[in-house]
Amino acid sequence: MEASCQGNEKLKKEERKLFRKQMKASRTLLRHEGIETVSHPTQSLVVANGGLGNGVSRQQLLEVLMKCGSVAALLMPPNKPYAFVTFGSTEEALMAHTTINGFQLQTEDQAITLYLNFVEKVDCKDSACQKLPAGLRVVEEFVSSEEEQQLLSSIDWGSDMSSESAQKTLKHRRVKHYGYEFRYDNNNVDKDSPLPGGLPEICEEVLERCLEKGYVNIKPDQLTVNQYEPGQGIPPHVDTHSPFEDTIISLSLGAKTVMDFKHPDGRSVAVMLPRRSLLVMTGESRYLWTHGITPRKFDVVPASEADEPGTVSSDIGDLTINKRETRTSFTFRKVRRTPCDCAYPSVCDSQRSKNQDCAPSVPQSDGDASRLERKFVHKVYEQIADHFSNTRHSPWPKVVEFLKSLPRASVVADIGCGNGKYLGVNQELCMMGCDRSRNLVDICGERKFQAFASDALLVPLRSGICDACISIAVIHHFSTEERRLAAINELVRLLRPGGRALMYVWAMEQEYKKQKSKYLKKNKAKPEEAMPDTLQQEFSSNRTESSTVSSYEAADFKKSPSVAQNQCELRVHMNRTSFHSQDLLVPWHLKGSVEKNKSAEEALRESTDHSKAAESAPVFHRFYHVFCEGELENLCRKIENVTIYSNYYDQGNWCVIIEKCKKFYVKMV
């Protein structure tokens, strides 16, 4: 009797432990994914830990679930640690809830425990099918099984750099070159030093077929063979324009894989490359989109039996994981003998070298925008970091108010944290910051703050990890609307459902409701005296309120007073005056010990008249897009699942607080 009571007590203890873990899984799903569970039985359940992101395949999960009844639908969102299952009846769902909760499932890499909770319903939302990038084509079964084996057998990985090829073992893969060696140190080839032996003879038939089918119009003379073991990949990249002609073709041998393509505007497409298929890249897909293979051991692929080429479906009712195997790619290119004159000059190294001395202008493409920001934002803040930090010591009251309103232990990210002046205003928060400037991040470290270097468009933090985010005086440094929208989207990605983000941007309206901002009030000098030193002479002669940049450096302002005729060129703003255009360059006069800073000395020579370099401090120019009233709100309205919680004007800045909606949607085709 006593033994029986002890057994019952032990059973109750295990049941209570399981219940606690089940409830913890429910709270985690609500907090991070916005998935609301219910206590009463329904036909649908959410299976925590049973997702593709945990290495669980569709077939594995179905085998467990189908023991409890008929499965009407199994939805597995890509890269998520959970799945949704709908049974044929509530009774079957209840049986699954009772018998599978706490079940241990062995995956390829680990044993995981499944926790099930009822959900009222799964709201579905149509998602547009992804299209292949322009100029991209995937031809399945381009070679036969026999040809595949012959091609793979022709590569002798045991040999060293022989007379016929150049072989390397890179960090992420093994590589062998034929015809010409591709130099990874400069992303180019030595066109005057071909490798002996040319391309392997066994490739001739494949290349003739490509010519016959019209996949290439000129026979390739360079071959790179890459071998990828499971878990290996290649970083996203665009093949350099100047070394090779337009079309690039690549065979996938030995195994299938998923290659990720990304456009500069943020669009991304996952493309399935079946075994023995031929990938053809030309035009936009070759010159503009990056392509790469994420290093991982599993790919998310359609569950259908056939390996269809093209984009990986967004139908979460037909996704599973595929264990990678050893894959070998044969990539053929034609070495270029003349400079590239493609239709994408902003990302073309041949055309950029010809135009590197052109005046900065309003960017017309993402490549232009990236280079503009690199020169007039990123490099500038690296050089002025110490001086900038010394001028940024008083937190703005309304930002402090926002941070102090957050619940204790909230996880908060300061995206574009600068010297970290907001990271310590509320000690009850778990705050971390990131900034594009490594020098500013180092200053944060010296102040014992948690900060890391990162671009605001791609923050290396898990989605939904933050209770709140702040972005103070950052988004106005992005030079196109697409990039400004992408920066806000990245904030939303970091937020959990119900989380809020506060954004500040510089306002075009520096006088609002008949009140001047502090920025204007600080100007007690005459306009000429407020003008950057390097521009005073030109201002006096032309009597204009702003000057146009005639080259990348301020020294050239005096050389070409007529450049204002080109209205696409960026103007230099006169400090402490009203704005007359939205896109402009704002001067920064560096003060301090210039002699000890080599980069500042270089900037001094570039930024001022050489004859007066020893007499004047260096002047740097930062790019800004100042926002008109309502512009920031309109950007936020373009983002799904976001509401504007509040908006206001604060001393020359437009400010918006957004909230990520709690309702969870599952996207289906």
Side-chain angles (χ1 to χ4, degrees):
M1 182 69 175
E2 184 178 345
S4 176
C5 289
Q6 289 178 348
N8 289 336
E9 185 64 30
K10 184 177 181 180
L11 180 60
K12 290 180 180 178
K13 185 176 180 181
E14 291 297 321
E15 288 177 349
R16 288 197 298 269
K17 183 178 179 181
L18 176 60
F19 179 75
R20 286 197 300 269
K21 290 187 175 181
Q22 183 183 350
M23 290 300 100
K24 182 179 179 181
S26 175
R27 290 192 298 271
T28 301
L29 288 168
L30 177 61
R31 180 179 177 86
H32 293 291
E33 302 293 341
I35 301 172
E36 296 188 25
T37 61
V38 295
S39 57
H40 58 273
T42 66
Q43 284 184 249
S44 300
L45 300 113
V46 57
V47 186
N49 293 339
L52 299 175
N54 275 6
V56 179
S57 72
R58 176 173 294 273
Q59 188 58 38
Q60 274 183 302
L61 190 57
L62 273 174
E63 289 177 2
V64 175
L65 296 172
M66 290 178 67
K67 293 177 182 178
C68 299
S70 60
V71 175
L74 177 59
L75 307 181
M76 304 185 76
N79 306 314
K80 294 293 185 180
Y82 55 81
F84 295 95
V85 58
T86 299
F87 282 92
S89 67
T90 303
E91 291 73 21
E92 292 171 327
L94 183 59
M95 179 179 292
H97 184 272
T98 304
T99 60
I100 300 178
N101 251 315
F103 178 79
Q104 278 209 335
L105 182 64
Q106 184 64 46
T107 67
E108 289 283 345
D109 294 332
Q110 60 182 334
I112 62 169
T113 304
L114 303 179
Y115 298 104
L116 280 67
N117 284 282
F118 292 108
V119 290
E120 194 67 57
K121 62 178 180 178
V122 178
D123 291 319
C124 298
K125 190 174 182 180
D126 290 338
S127 175
C129 295
Q130 293 177 316
K131 295 182 179 179
L132 286 174
L136 188 71
R137 184 173 184 179
V138 181
V139 184
E140 57 181 329
E141 293 296 336
F142 187 75
V143 295
S144 65
S145 299
E146 293 75 16
E147 288 175 314
E148 178 187 42
Q149 289 304 315
Q150 292 171 1
L151 287 165
L152 290 173
S153 300
S154 69
I155 306 300
D156 181 12
W157 292 107
S159 65
D160 56 8
M161 294 182 66
S162 66
S163 60
E164 296 184 356
S165 68
Q167 177 176 319
K168 294 179 182 292
T169 300
L170 301 181
K171 180 179 180 181
H172 301 290
R173 63 198 187 280
R174 289 201 292 181
V175 180
K176 204 160 189 175
H177 301 290
Y178 295 87
Y180 293 84
E181 180 183 2
F182 185 79
R183 298 286 303 275
Y184 293 99
D185 54 351
N186 60 7
N187 292 322
N188 215 317
V189 295
D190 187 347
K191 300 175 183 178
D192 298 323
S193 301
L195 296 171
L199 271 57
E201 186 177 342
I202 195 170
C203 298
E204 287 297 314
E205 186 175 341
V206 173
L207 295 179
E208 289 296 332
R209 195 181 310 155
C210 289
L211 286 166
E212 179 184 336
K213 297 286 187 180
Y215 300 141
V216 293
N217 53 22
I218 186 169
K219 192 174 182 180
D221 55 7
Q222 195 275 339
L223 166 64
T224 298
V225 181
N226 289 284
Q227 187 177 84
Y228 303 89
E229 298 292 341
Q232 294 181 330
I234 184 170
H237 66 284
V238 175
D239 284 45
T240 314
H241 292 203
S242 60
F244 304 113
E245 294 286 350
D246 183 1
T247 306
I248 296 174
I249 55 176
S250 183
L251 282 170
S252 292
L253 306 176
K256 63 184 176 183
T257 196
V258 173
M259 181 172 281
D260 298 308
F261 286 79
K262 189 169 184 179
H263 191 276
D265 65 9
R267 284 178 290 154
S268 59
V269 180
V271 178
M272 168 68 73
L273 303 181
R275 184 175 178 177
R276 294 187 293 276
S277 67
L278 179 73
L279 173 69
V280 183
M281 292 189 296
T282 186
E284 183 177 309
S285 65
R286 181 265 190 264
Y287 288 125
L288 192 59
W289 290 67
T290 64
H291 60 279
I293 298 174
T294 304
R296 58 192 175 208
K297 294 184 179 180
F298 295 90
D299 282 320
V300 175
V301 299
S304 307
E305 288 297 322
D307 291 337
E308 294 292 334
T311 62
V312 175
S313 170
S314 57
D315 179 4
I316 63 175
D318 185 42
L319 292 180
T320 188
I321 56 173
N322 174 71
K323 185 179 180 181
R324 283 188 182 175
E325 300 175 3
T326 300
R327 172 182 171 271
T328 304
S329 66
F330 279 54
T331 302
F332 299 92
R333 307 174 178 89
K334 173 63 179 176
V335 171
R336 184 187 294 277
R337 296 296 173 180
T338 58
C340 179
D341 60 351
C342 67
Y344 310 94
S346 63
V347 292
C348 178
D349 58 316
S350 292
Q351 297 178 64
R352 283 206 310 264
S353 62
K354 293 189 300 181
N355 300 325
Q356 61 184 359
D357 295 325
C358 291
S361 58
V362 178
Q364 303 300 312
S365 69
D366 194 77
D368 291 339
S370 179
R371 282 188 298 279
L372 179 74
E373 292 160 20
R374 186 163 55 247
K375 189 170 188 69
F376 289 101
V377 181
H378 306 162
K379 289 184 177 180
V380 172
Y381 278 103
E382 287 289 25
Q383 293 169 322
I384 69 172
D386 287 335
H387 183 207
F388 178 82
S389 178
N390 290 336
T391 67
R392 299 299 187 271
H393 44 75
S394 299
W396 294 345
K398 284 187 175 290
V399 180
V400 174
E401 180 183 327
F402 173 80
L403 292 173
K404 290 192 173 182
S405 71
L406 299 173
R408 185 175 180 273
S410 292
V411 177
V412 184
D414 184 350
I415 308 303
C417 63
N419 66 353
K421 72 176 182 179
Y422 293 109
L423 296 180
V425 299
N426 186 350
Q427 298 296 329
E428 293 187 341
L429 301 178
C430 177
M431 285 203 69
M432 53 190 158
C434 68
D435 200 277
R436 191 62 173 71
S437 167
R438 290 186 178 275
N439 289 335
L440 287 172
V441 169
D442 289 342
I443 292 173
C444 292
E446 293 169 3
R447 297 179 174 184
K448 309 302 181 185
F449 294 136
Q450 298 294 323
F452 54 90
S454 169
D455 195 304
L457 296 181
L458 193 64
V459 181
L461 293 175
R462 178 164 56 84
S463 299
I465 196 174
C466 296
D467 298 296
C469 293
I470 60 174
S471 173
I472 311 301
V474 175
I475 297 172
H476 54 216
H477 283 309
F478 290 102
S479 54
T480 64
E481 180 177 322
E482 292 77 15
R483 292 170 71 82
R484 294 188 283 273
L485 183 61
I488 301 174
N489 261 311
E490 187 68 354
L491 293 175
V492 175
R493 182 187 69 81
L494 295 175
L495 290 174
R496 64 167 176 81
R500 293 175 183 172
L502 169 63
M503 294 169 284
Y504 267 57
V505 295
W506 211 358
M508 179 83 170
E509 300 84 355
Q510 287 299 304
E511 186 170 339
Y512 185 66
K513 294 184 178 179
K514 298 183 179 180
Q515 292 290 323
K516 289 185 177 181
S517 68
K518 288 182 179 179
Y519 177 73
L520 294 184
K521 287 178 180 178
K522 287 184 179 180
N523 181 21
K524 298 180 181 179
K526 296 178 181 179
E528 289 90 343
E529 294 171 348
M531 196 69 170
D533 293 340
T534 54
L535 302 180
Q536 285 183 17
Q537 179 179 343
E538 187 172 284
F539 177 81
S540 299
S541 61
N542 293 329
R543 310 306 297 175
T544 59
E545 291 188 333
S546 24
S547 296
T548 304
V549 184
S550 62
S551 83
Y552 275 136
E553 304 301 341
D556 292 327
F557 286 123
K558 297 180 182 180
K559 299 177 183 178
S560 181
S562 63
V563 293
Q565 295 174 0
N566 187 347
Q567 295 184 4
C568 291
E569 293 178 357
L570 292 172
R571 295 179 177 274
V572 172
H573 174 62
M574 180 167 54
N575 282 332
R576 306 297 176 186
T577 64
S578 297
F579 295 117
H580 297 280
S581 61
Q582 283 191 268
D583 296 302
L584 40 83
L585 299 178
V586 178
W588 180 279
H589 294 257
L590 186 66
K591 297 177 182 178
S593 181
V594 177
E595 301 83 15
K596 297 179 181 179
N597 189 332
K598 182 179 179 181
S599 61
E601 289 179 337
E602 294 170 350
L604 177 63
R605 289 193 293 271
E606 296 172 350
S607 301
T608 62
D609 190 343
H610 184 74
S611 64
K612 297 182 180 180
E615 301 174 9
S616 58
V619 179
F620 297 89
H621 294 87
R622 298 168 295 162
F623 172 83
Y624 281 86
H625 171 85
V626 290
F627 279 64
C628 292
E629 183 175 5
E631 184 178 350
L632 183 57
E633 290 88 334
N634 288 337
L635 278 180
C636 294
R637 292 188 183 101
K638 293 182 179 181
I639 301 174
E640 292 183 348
N641 298 331
V642 163
T643 60
I644 296 176
Y645 179 79
S646 69
N647 58 321
Y648 56 92
Y649 180 88
D650 184 19
Q651 282 301 327
N653 298 279
W654 290 116
C655 319
V656 170
I657 299 177
I658 57 173
E659 182 176 297
K660 189 172 183 178
C661 298
K662 292 182 179 180
K663 193 170 183 181
F664 177 77
Y665 293 94
V666 177
K667 294 185 177 181
M668 293 191 69
V669 176

